[in-house]
Amino acid sequence: MTNWCMVIDLDKCVACQACSIACRMENNTPVVSPEEAKNGRAIRWNDVFPLPVHFGPDLGEYPNVKTHYQTRPCMHCKNAPCVKACPVQATYIDEEGIVRQNYNRCIGCRFCTVACPYGVRYFNWYKPQWEGTLAEYRNPDQVRVNGSLEGPAVRPVGVVEKCTYCVHRLVKAREQAAAEGREFRADEYVPACVQTCTGKARYFGDLDDPNSTVSQLSKSLRAVHLLEDSGAHPKTLYLSEG
Amino acid sequence: MLQTLAQHDRDELIAPLYRFDRKFWGIVAFLAAITAPGLLLYGRQLIVGLGVTDLNRPVFWGAYLVNFIFLIGISMAGTVISATLILLKVEWRRPITRIAESLTVFGLMTAGLQIIMDMGRPDRLLFTLIYGRLQAPLMWDIASLTIYLLTAMFALYLQLLPDIAILRDTAPAAVPEWRRKLYKFLSFNWRGNKEQWERLEKAIVTVSVFLIPIGISLHTVTSWLFSTTVQPGWKSTILGPYFVVGAIYSGLGLLIIAMSFARVYNPHLKEYITEKIYTNLGWIFIVMSGVWFYFTLNETLVVTAEQETLEFPIMASKLFGQFSPAFWGMNALMIAATWMLLAPKFVSDKPSRNPLMKTPVGLSAAVIGLAIFSLLWLQPVSVFADPVFQTVFILAFVALLFLALLGVTKWLKTHLIPSSVIASSFVLFGMWLERWNILMPTLTHARLIPYTTYDPTLTEIAVTVSTLGILTLIFVLFYKFFPSISIWEVEEGRARELGAGD
């Protein structure tokens, strides 16, 4: 079985936030008003945030100024705290190592959002809305698992949603391979953020394949996990800056 | 002699059940009035979504969850106190077991309500039964809550059974037919023969034995909701026993308030709920406050001393930061409550010649203290920057506070019941703040999200008031149908006392 993994090279990342926008268009995350966003209601599956988080960016003194940014998709942890916390198995790790969310099952208790140390889970405080004609540009792709919608299907109010490594793209790539009557290869699928990345800072592939880019990069001395001490065994890797 | 006393009990305890006077309707109307706005706003929340609260990312849980833990907490004493006292065969428990056990049931009911109100999709509540994962702490909590509620209801019913039979047999002619039928149905063919009594007593003891571990399990599991996560401030092993202690502490507070309320409502109850019960409960209260302070000190001191990168910012926000009013307010309330219960034990009830013990001195010290405090608080530029001034100010404040506490001691000594009620309300409010101080600092200090704040919106405040209104309303209505004092238990106790005299 494949074990999907993302590697983000922070040396190459220019913090352009294209990944955030690509993710938004690909996964139909609703747009909220600026006031709501200020109040922490924005939904950005792939957030780009300044470092350090808590005491503001340390800019340094002119002309030696420097700002750090980090991009944050879901870590798709091997020992995911959110999965352990969910009382109804609305979130689960599939056999390919992707932490997924069943919107038709979620009861909205928000235990997973509280349990996640990375803060990559988002809650639909209101019914999702799109301004003007934006709704017409929604991604029509859908993934159906046991009859319930997943992936970019528009989420109802009151459920939790999160980055799925664009699982619908995986489903589509598999279907195409099957239609063409050939074996599916791990390099036929990347999430939208990887495809769009301006600095080509993101890599995606099968961690269990020793020849894949991601497994090569995972052996790099620069390879680090975010909050290694959380015990969640996050899978998304970062190549540290400098 | 026993016969006449028994007749007296029945007159005093049963007659008010059929008296629907202006006082009763007034209370019901008042409670309905404070409950209604919250229900309306909750209806709006159902339609619009949880966005009407101030919850956000990362503060995903808020006032509803605080209320939930608080209500779970107040449900503790009821059963654990009455079950423990039954097992220990403590005689003075007899008049308060009913109120204590019913508070458990009502507290758990309203606690369950809070969870439903907090859910994003309350329509999917049954999914917890259909798809429930037994590995999830929330499922442990749901299971424990359900078992506790059912057991507590069963215990309450068992204890009610002989009294329902009395009600069935003594119902006056004017009583409506449906009420007669209700009593007849609920009395379950109770005739009060020897075999039935023996079985009942056995059953009550058995249920009491089960209730204590079930009660402790619920409070521990509720703490596990937090301590099983990897969030700093929560991942602590002390949280389980801390919750249990806090639960007993706040539960006792509610018990004292509820029985005082019943006493005021029906003055005849003063013969049953005597000052002796207040004194005895007061001692348990004092012990519990000691244990509570011990746990609070453990939690606070250890984290403050080690100053670990993740934990300390959360503790610092309680000690000096945005949660300091709630944290120090909680401590002040608890200290005041402990003083109110403990200090009167050390003074005689004769008037004292020491001017420091005079009530006017104490009250004026309190007023001066408050005036200075608010004057300093309202300054546009903080005056606390100067360390010398800060020390002088703190010392003066402590001295004034001490004078105030000393001054009211005499009054407390001579007014046992009002002072118990005031102390209990301090403890209840303090325990609500304690739950707030456990939840909010961790939620607002997420690791990878900027520190944030949380201010409950009108919806959340109204729903909280509404919940307390519902709790009181159930209490008032329940005791319009059933006597608030266990008649048979009181009679049994009296018979035992007289029997011992023979």
Side-chain angles (χ1 to χ4, degrees), chain B residues 87 151 178 209 211 218 314 375 494:
Chain B
L87 289 180
T151 321
W178 62 270
V209 170
L211 264 178
L218 177 62
I314 292 163
L375 261 179
R494 201 180 283 139

Side-chain angles (χ1 to χ4, degrees), chain A residues 36 39-42 44 47 49 51 53-55 72 81 83-91 102-111 113-127 156-159 226-227 229-231, chain B residues 47-62 64-65 118-122 124-125 127-128 131-139 142 224-226 228-231 234-235 310 313 443 445-451 453:
Chain A
E36 288 287 301
N39 194 16
R41 302 270 179 85
R44 286 187 293 257
D47 199 8
F49 60 100
L51 286 173
V53 180
H54 293 136
F55 304 105
R72 170 179 47 187
V83 172
K84 289 196 278 183
C86 182
V88 292
Q89 210 162 30
T91 185
N102 181 344
Y103 311 124
N104 286 10
R105 177 77 68 86
C106 177
I107 61 170
C109 67
R110 305 190 295 297
F111 205 127
T113 54
V114 170
C116 176
Y118 304 98
V120 293
R121 298 184 141 263
Y122 298 83
F123 184 74
N124 283 284
W125 302 103
Y126 292 107
K127 196 172 183 304
V157 62
V159 302
L226 202 54
L227 302 184
D229 61 333
S230 69
Chain B
I47 297 164
V48 179
L50 270 163
V52 296
T53 62
D54 193 47
L55 298 174
N56 54 58
R57 169 176 168 269
V59 189
F60 285 103
W61 287 343
Y64 297 153
L65 248 284
D118 186 64
M119 279 169 68
R121 300 297 302 237
R124 296 181 180 173
L125 182 66
F127 282 13
T128 52
Y131 306 113
R133 277 177 76 244
L134 283 180
Q135 305 96 310
L138 196 66
M139 279 310 290
I142 292 172
W224 287 346
L225 290 185
F226 308 104
T228 52
T229 63
V230 291
Q231 304 299 2
W234 285 352
K235 43 169 189 171
L310 286 174
L443 284 168
H445 290 70
R447 276 191 246 186
L448 291 176
I449 304 169
Y451 293 159
T453 54

